[in-house]
Amino acid sequence: MMDRNADAPWAQFDPEVYVDLNYRVPLEVDLLIVRLMRDYFSKCFAEGVPDPMRGVDVGAGANLYPGLAMLPWCEKIVLLEYAQPNVEYLERQTSPQGYDEAWDAFWNELGKAPAYAAVEPRTRFGEIVRVERANLLDLDGQRRWDIGTMFFVADSMSECPDEFRRGVRCFMDALTEGAPFAAAFMKESVGYQVGEHRYPAYRVNEERVRESLEPFVSELDIHDLHHMVRPGHEGIILALGRRNSEIAVP
Ligand SMILES: C[S@@+](CC[C@H](N)C(=O)[O-])C[C@H]1O[C@@H](n2cnc3c(N)ncnc32)[C@H](O)[C@@H]1O
């Protein structure tokens, strides 16, 4: 029996353990991803930002760097997350006391590009970022954002191929035409452990990621990063691109 998204113990997800495992000591691959995303968004907006933009990070969990990467370009950012402990973690990070020091290392990389250097991240993050409890699989194209990120979610929430594809489609249908996006996937992940609990994954490679995204994009650049961060996967796939004008298929 394959583990579906609804079967996993999301209510027991421990964000502090997750940060300890993944982000407290910044890994070279995350800093590389941050640089690639920073440079891609900077290229997309080299002529400036046309109108005030709204950004979304889907399945934000206990990771602030996708949200930080959208900071210079947006007037509002929403972090959508399903697991209640992660929602509470994110609410603390957006409170007036400011986000944890752990995230400074990621901003240090972002801040090396001019558009980012002009931003005071802690204040701005508290001002424009809001957290909302939501299920990715319920996003039906009614709400759309002008820039978006989805890191280790569609591939890291279920073992089922149909839920992976639906997760990608729901993310894509949450973006406006032309919206730049960044999405990351664990390559060939067999699932992951956070504290006492085990979470499911769907095994993807570059080809599966490309196939799932291609119907929705006008521009796509896939980076197959051969860094291993733990046993049980074979690297990380980072997709950078822009949403095309296809209408959602219900
Ligand atoms: C591997 S974690 C990734 C977290 C974070 N984005 C990161 O980059 O580290 C998977 C995340 O997906 C969230 N998630 C699982 N099912 C979801 C759903 N149906 N809708 C939205 N988020 C979901 C989990 O709560 C968790 O935060």
Side-chain angles (χ1 to χ4, degrees):
M1 269 282 282
M2 278 194 245
D3 268 348
R4 297 189 70 78
N5 181 243
D7 300 329
W10 302 113
Q12 273 79 54
F13 202 101
D14 187 331
E16 295 294 343
V17 171
Y18 185 79
V19 172
D20 286 344
L21 287 169
N22 295 290
Y23 302 123
R24 190 93 56 205
V25 178
L27 299 175
E28 193 42 51
V29 66
D30 288 299
L31 298 176
L32 172 61
I33 288 171
V34 162
R35 289 195 291 274
L36 290 165
M37 189 165 40
R38 172 199 73 189
D39 293 346
Y40 182 68
F41 290 156
S42 297
K43 190 183 84 183
C44 289
F45 301 118
E47 309 292 315
V49 174
D51 291 308
M53 296 205 310
R54 295 176 321 121
V56 65
D57 183 30
V58 175
N63 182 5
L64 299 201
Y65 76 62
L68 289 170
M70 291 188 278
L71 216 49
W73 320 112
C74 294
E75 61 164 12
K76 282 193 177 141
I77 296 173
V78 61
L79 308 181
L80 300 183
E81 169 56 41
Y82 181 71
Q84 189 58 32
N86 289 340
V87 169
E88 288 165 18
Y89 175 86
L90 292 167
E91 280 169 346
R92 286 195 298 280
Q93 302 303 312
T94 53
S95 73
Q97 75 207 39
Y99 57 72
D100 294 349
E101 281 177 8
W103 302 106
D104 289 340
F106 301 96
W107 184 264
N108 288 346
E109 287 302 312
L110 293 167
K112 290 175 188 164
Y116 292 83
V119 174
E120 202 297 292
R122 217 172 235 98
T123 314
R124 189 158 172 79
F125 198 82
E127 283 169 357
I128 73 163
V129 178
R130 292 294 168 267
V131 183
E132 206 180 297
R133 181 156 192 254
N135 188 332
L136 162 64
L137 301 174
D138 289 340
L139 296 178
D140 57 3
Q142 295 300 308
R143 297 169 75 196
R144 290 182 182 242
W145 287 267
D146 310 305
I147 179 169
T149 51
M150 179 175 71
F151 272 63
F152 314 116
V153 182
D155 60 311
S156 299
M157 62 174 201
S158 165
E159 289 177 353
C160 300
D162 60 318
E163 288 193 317
F164 165 72
R165 283 192 292 270
R166 194 167 140 214
V168 170
R169 192 183 74 214
C170 289
F171 172 56
M172 285 288 124
D173 285 339
L175 299 177
T176 56
E177 181 181 343
F181 68 86
F185 308 86
M186 296 301 273
K187 187 175 175 182
E188 301 289 358
S189 172
V190 296
Y192 55 106
Q193 189 81 22
V194 182
E196 301 294 297
H197 301 282
R198 184 100 197 138
Y199 293 91
Y202 173 63
R203 296 183 70 137
V204 296
N205 53 23
E206 180 176 346
E207 215 31 58
R208 277 198 183 149
V209 167
R210 187 178 295 283
E211 276 165 18
S212 70
L213 287 168
E214 248 165 7
F216 306 102
V217 299
S218 60
E219 180 177 306
L220 183 61
D221 193 4
I222 295 192
H223 300 263
D224 193 350
L225 307 171
H226 299 279
H227 301 63
M228 301 269 294
V229 299
R230 54 170 166 74
H233 79 113
E234 292 175 14
I236 291 179
I237 295 167
L238 174 68
L240 301 169
R242 280 187 185 264
R243 181 68 166 95
N244 66 15
S245 57
E246 292 302 309
I247 304 299
V249 181

